Amino acid sequence: MLDVQSIRKDFPVLSRKVNGHPLVYLDNAATSQKPSSVIQSLVDYYEGYNANVHRGVHTLSMEATDKFEEAREKVARFIGAETSESIIWTRNTSESINLVAYTWAQENIGEGDEIVLTRMEHHSNLVPWQKVARDKGARIRFIPMTDDYTLDLSDIDSIINPRTKLVSIVHVSNSIGTINPVQELTKLAKRVGAAVLIDGAQSVPHMPVDVAKLGCDFFAFSGHKMLGPTGIGVLYVKRDVLEDMEPFLRGGEMVLEVTYEDASWNDLPMRFEAGTPNIADAIGLGAAIDYLNDIGMQNVRDHEVQLTQYALNAFKELEEELILHGPVDVDVRGGIVSFHHPEVHPHDLGTILDSRGIAVRTGHHCTMPLVKSLGVSATARASFYLYNTEEEVDLLIGGLKEALRYFAHGVAPA
Ligand code: C6P
């Protein structure tokens, strides 16, 4: 059990008021809040040892380099990577996936090849592959979804077949919360010799993840969704796969020897990090990982399972008005509850909730095809993290009742 009240004290923003009400922050799938230790790590860097990395022999540069590389080691250990050479810093999940599309895919996907995605991908794991498929004459195939919001694997042996070169799948859906069987799908992909990319934007922040156990080739995630700063993301690439990849961006830092005519490449992973990297935010992500390790990722997951179950029970009070989207079984669901009302636009629900200090996301959540397939153009989404409480779920339900009294039944808010 987490000591949530004590955890909440570590997050300065949680003590603020919004529209006269204590903030109830339920938009964690979009970005998480930051504990003081992460904020302080940024201040420490800028006040104490701000310098460029891997470039200077002076003390500040060496201190910055040590902390920066220490953060990379922390990331590697956190996700079970065998070596920190497999950890490439990017800006976010989107850039991590694009890096694979602009490098590995250029060499390894050709005419007639197939790329397998699911029908619940975020645009970041769909649009880059549309371009690759178009440019290369390859075909995208989709794993469909059942009525209970899980992947329909009944035809998987024909979807993942000897023509498949890449299986690129979301671990936890940001729109409907489904936890996908990525380990099983990786095994199927490996049987036909395909590479596997996992979009872990919504899994790494919320549950233990072990990339070596999953057996994937690529794993992408963002620091800002896991208590870290914005502007820092991670691409894990299996060491032997990375060795054969061409660089993404070219310039300083990624080279070993340069002449006017030619250049050779630096060691891994610097070969993939042209220019001055995001030093402060990488160090900040290291501090976020320290914080999460102190809590324990299984404890984070257990707390969210409990809270999601509580929320699903609480939503039963509104079952005649709201339609919920996502698996009913919390064992295959992250801490995400998406819903809509047949006649009230989610933005209207979100606006009333905001007037009570409650932050949820409304819209298509960058999964337009998925949301459309649910028969709507938008949903409202509450997403939980380690600092959320059952009382906050009660406030959400109270806010929704008020919004529905007003929009669906014409009773003005108090
Ligand atoms: N989802 C949400 O509100 P970036 O923006 O690059 O850090 O992460 C992209 C991304 C990729 N995959 C999944 C599953 C995601 O959830 C996200 C980000 C946010 O749901 C912002 S759209």
Side-chain angles (χ1 to χ4, degrees), residues 263-278:
S264 62
W265 310 139
N266 201 344
D267 293 337
L268 295 171
M270 267 80 80
R271 191 184 304 171
F272 290 89
E273 295 175 0
T276 300
N278 187 348

Side-chain angles (χ1 to χ4, degrees), residues 29-30 92-94 122 174 199 201-202 222 224-225 361 366 381:
N92 47 41
T93 307
S94 307
H122 186 280
N174 64 314
D199 171 354
Q202 301 292 348
S222 301
H224 69 95
K225 294 183 198 288
R361 182 167 175 192
C366 301
R381 180 190 71 183

Side-chain angles (χ1 to χ4, degrees), residues 62-381:
M62 287 192 289
E63 283 179 14
T65 303
D66 284 351
K67 290 278 187 196
F68 178 72
E69 289 305 328
E70 206 176 273
R72 199 192 300 272
E73 297 276 351
K74 286 178 190 175
V75 169
R77 281 196 296 276
F78 191 66
I79 61 166
E82 277 163 15
T83 159
S84 64
E85 290 177 358
S86 283
I87 305 299
I88 301 171
W89 297 120
T90 61
R91 279 185 302 146
N92 47 41
T93 307
S94 307
E95 187 176 296
S96 297
I97 296 171
N98 273 276
L99 195 156
V100 181
Y102 277 95
T103 55
W104 180 90
Q106 297 307 312
E107 309 284 330
N108 290 282
I109 292 182
E111 179 126 27
D113 289 343
E114 295 184 357
I115 300 167
V116 172
L117 312 176
T118 75
R119 292 231 180 256
M120 48 178 96
E121 298 308 328
H122 186 280
H123 297 163
S124 294
N125 194 33
L126 171 60
V127 181
W129 304 121
Q130 290 172 343
K131 177 169 166 51
V132 170
R134 221 173 282 130
D135 291 351
K136 297 284 182 178
R139 174 183 176 204
I140 298 182
R141 300 195 59 173
F142 292 95
I143 305 173
M145 203 171 77
T146 61
D147 290 342
D148 63 5
Y149 302 93
T150 57
L151 291 181
D152 178 355
L153 301 181
S154 57
D155 202 21
I156 198 69
D157 288 337
S158 98
I159 297 172
I160 298 179
N161 66 60
R163 283 184 303 279
T164 310
K165 285 289 172 306
L166 174 70
V167 174
S168 189
I169 39 178
V170 66
H171 197 170
V172 177
S173 159
N174 64 314
S175 282
I176 52 176
T178 311
I179 301 176
N180 288 320
V182 286
Q183 193 164 354
E184 194 181 329
L185 289 167
T186 301
K187 276 201 193 111
L188 294 176
K190 291 294 157 194
R191 278 219 302 248
V192 297
V196 175
L197 184 154
I198 298 174
D199 171 354
Q202 301 292 348
S203 60
V204 169
H206 300 281
M207 59 189 65
V209 164
D210 185 332
V211 289
K213 203 161 133 200
L214 291 175
C216 57
D217 301 276
F218 308 102
F219 193 98
F221 58 101
S222 301
H224 69 95
K225 294 183 198 288
M226 51 187 289
L227 312 183
T230 50
I232 189 77
V234 173
L235 174 66
Y236 157 84
V237 187
K238 212 187 247 177
R239 185 66 172 70
D240 53 335
V241 177
L242 193 55
E243 193 67 66
D244 291 337
M245 274 166 58
E246 276 293 301
F248 176 33
L249 303 174
R250 288 163 165 80
E253 182 74 4
M254 51 78 66
V255 284
L256 196 62
E257 283 280 329
V258 182
T259 63
Y260 281 115
E261 291 75 33
D262 208 358
S264 62
W265 310 139
N266 201 344
D267 293 337
L268 295 171
M270 267 80 80
R271 191 184 304 171
F272 290 89
E273 295 175 0
T276 300
N278 187 348
I279 304 161
D281 296 323
I283 293 169
L285 178 55
I289 287 175
D290 289 342
Y291 188 92
L292 288 168
N293 278 335
D294 281 351
I295 305 280
M297 288 311 292
Q298 191 56 50
N299 293 330
V300 173
R301 170 71 185 143
D302 292 346
H303 174 70
E304 289 182 28
V305 167
Q306 217 175 334
L307 203 54
T308 307
Q309 188 63 69
Y310 182 86
L312 294 180
N313 292 341
F315 266 90
K316 289 206 174 110
E317 281 189 61
L318 295 166
E319 69 188 348
E320 285 178 11
E321 309 216 55
L322 294 178
I323 296 157
L324 264 60
H325 304 283
V328 284
D329 179 0
V330 289
D331 286 341
V332 290
R333 182 182 188 136
I336 286 171
V337 182
S338 247
F339 51 93
H340 83 275
H341 185 282
E343 274 129 41
V344 182
H345 197 281
H347 290 341
D348 291 333
L349 296 178
T351 304
I352 294 281
L353 291 175
D354 181 59
S355 73
R356 292 176 150 228
I358 303 167
V360 297
R361 182 167 175 192
T362 60
H364 52 65
H365 318 297
C366 301
T367 54
M368 242 189 250
L370 168 62
V371 169
K372 269 195 195 148
S373 77
L374 304 176
V376 289
S377 59
T379 71
R381 180 190 71 183

Side-chain angles (χ1 to χ4, degrees), residues 9-86:
K9 293 197 185 102
D10 295 332
F11 291 79
V13 78
L14 295 182
S15 60
R16 74 163 278 188
K17 289 196 166 173
V18 171
N19 296 319
H21 298 271
L23 168 65
V24 174
Y25 187 77
L26 301 177
D27 195 16
N28 294 287
T31 199
S32 71
Q33 296 303 341
K34 322 299 173 199
S36 302
S37 58
V38 169
I39 300 166
Q40 190 57 46
S41 74
L42 301 178
V43 175
D44 288 347
Y45 167 72
Y46 284 119
E47 286 187 352
Y49 57 99
N50 172 50
N52 213 327
V53 290
H54 303 138
R55 282 164 170 84
V57 290
H58 62 81
T59 300
L60 259 54
S61 177
M62 287 192 289
E63 283 179 14
T65 303
D66 284 351
K67 290 278 187 196
F68 178 72
E69 289 305 328
E70 206 176 273
R72 199 192 300 272
E73 297 276 351
K74 286 178 190 175
V75 169
R77 281 196 296 276
F78 191 66
I79 61 166
E82 277 163 15
T83 159
S84 64
E85 290 177 358
S86 283

